[in-house]
Amino acid sequence: MADIKIYSAVVCPYAHRTRLVLQEKGIDFDLIEIDLQNKPEGFTKVSPYGKVPAITHGENRIWESAVINEYLDEVFPNPPLLPSNPIAKAQARIWIDFANTRLVPAFSTLLRSPDFQKQEEAKQELYKHLEFIENEGLGKLSGDGPYWFGESISLVDFTFFPWFERWPALKHYRGFGIPAEFTRLKQWKHALKERESVQAIAHSKEFYIERYAKFAAPVPVAA
């Protein structure tokens, strides 16, 4: 039995983040799939928020994906997934926060809102966030390398990628693909998709289109 147990849900992008880190580091773990619509009794003893992911490591429990991932990077330091340089590490944490507080809410609003006007506003907001990633993130930090910080993959890459693997659902239900002008972003997504750790737990676009049907209310007809 592995020391690490991860409580996950296959459709959850937050849990996807932590599973990617576990795969990348080659950490042995037990996967416990949680039905978020029918959570097992006692689950909040592991995850007090009642959310996934959560992990147990021996007698310890940790929850919240960004916190879990930094914990795993410290306890299992090879390969390192955060820069050692203090300013680069700070930049990594800024981008992880950007994913959590800006990109993800806009993605979720666009997918889930039944209100046409809110969808249009979310599209504009999401476009601005992608533009910021293209220019301020990948354009300035990745150099000639394929990943956020160049040649070395990091927690930032794994923080963002689950939403980009799910992007076909956004395109299918809301008609919002990744704009062609964001070439660095498209190259980055392709590089991640080719990575062994990503492929090991990847799902098809059809999988997400089917799974996200219940989250995406029908597109209202504009007046």
Side-chain angles (χ1 to χ4, degrees), residues 7-73:
Y7 296 78
S8 178
V10 69
V11 78
C12 176
Y14 294 98
H16 192 173
R17 290 171 164 177
T18 297
R19 289 183 63 199
L20 286 170
V21 171
L22 290 166
Q23 291 287 150
E24 183 67 27
K25 286 182 172 286
I27 300 168
D28 188 26
F29 63 92
D30 291 331
L31 176 64
I32 301 169
E33 189 74 10
I34 299 296
D35 180 353
L36 295 174
Q37 306 306 314
N38 186 27
K39 298 171 189 174
E41 186 177 353
F43 177 55
T44 54
K45 292 181 180 179
V46 176
S47 177
Y49 296 171
K51 300 192 300 183
V52 295
I55 69 167
T56 59
H57 185 196
E59 298 300 316
N60 300 311
R61 57 181 185 158
I62 306 100
W63 57 96
E64 290 296 302
S65 62
V67 178
I68 293 170
N69 290 353
E70 282 215 35
Y71 172 82
L72 292 172
D73 198 47

Side-chain angles (χ1 to χ4, degrees), residues 143-156:
D144 294 328
Y147 306 119
W148 216 277
F149 285 95
E151 296 295 334
S152 299
I153 196 137
S154 73
L155 292 184
V156 178

Side-chain angles (χ1 to χ4, degrees), residues 55-178:
I55 69 167
T56 59
H57 185 196
E59 298 300 316
N60 300 311
R61 57 181 185 158
I62 306 100
W63 57 96
E64 290 296 302
S65 62
V67 178
I68 293 170
N69 290 353
E70 282 215 35
Y71 172 82
L72 292 172
D73 198 47
E74 290 185 15
V75 175
F76 302 93
N78 292 309
L81 295 179
L82 277 176
S84 57
N85 176 279
I87 186 61
K89 186 177 292 184
Q91 289 171 331
R93 288 173 172 149
I94 287 169
W95 281 108
I96 290 168
D97 179 75
F98 181 89
N100 292 339
T101 62
R102 288 168 172 76
L103 182 83
V104 171
F107 182 106
S108 181
T109 298
L110 178 54
L111 182 69
R112 293 171 180 261
S113 178
D115 182 84
F116 182 79
Q117 184 58 39
K118 287 184 178 179
Q119 290 177 22
E120 290 303 302
E121 291 170 359
K123 284 181 182 179
Q124 294 176 24
E125 184 178 358
L126 200 50
Y127 183 93
K128 287 194 299 183
H129 295 334
L130 295 180
E131 186 175 45
F132 192 73
I133 289 169
E134 176 81 4
N135 297 324
E136 291 295 322
L138 299 170
K140 292 186 177 180
L141 297 175
S142 64
D144 294 328
Y147 306 119
W148 216 277
F149 285 95
E151 296 295 334
S152 299
I153 196 137
S154 73
L155 292 184
V156 178
D157 300 292
F158 292 136
T159 293
F160 279 90
F161 183 75
W163 279 268
F164 286 92
E165 186 170 293
R166 287 156 176 77
W167 212 278
L170 203 62
K171 184 176 181 180
H172 179 83
Y173 291 110
R174 296 294 182 255
F176 189 86
I178 299 173

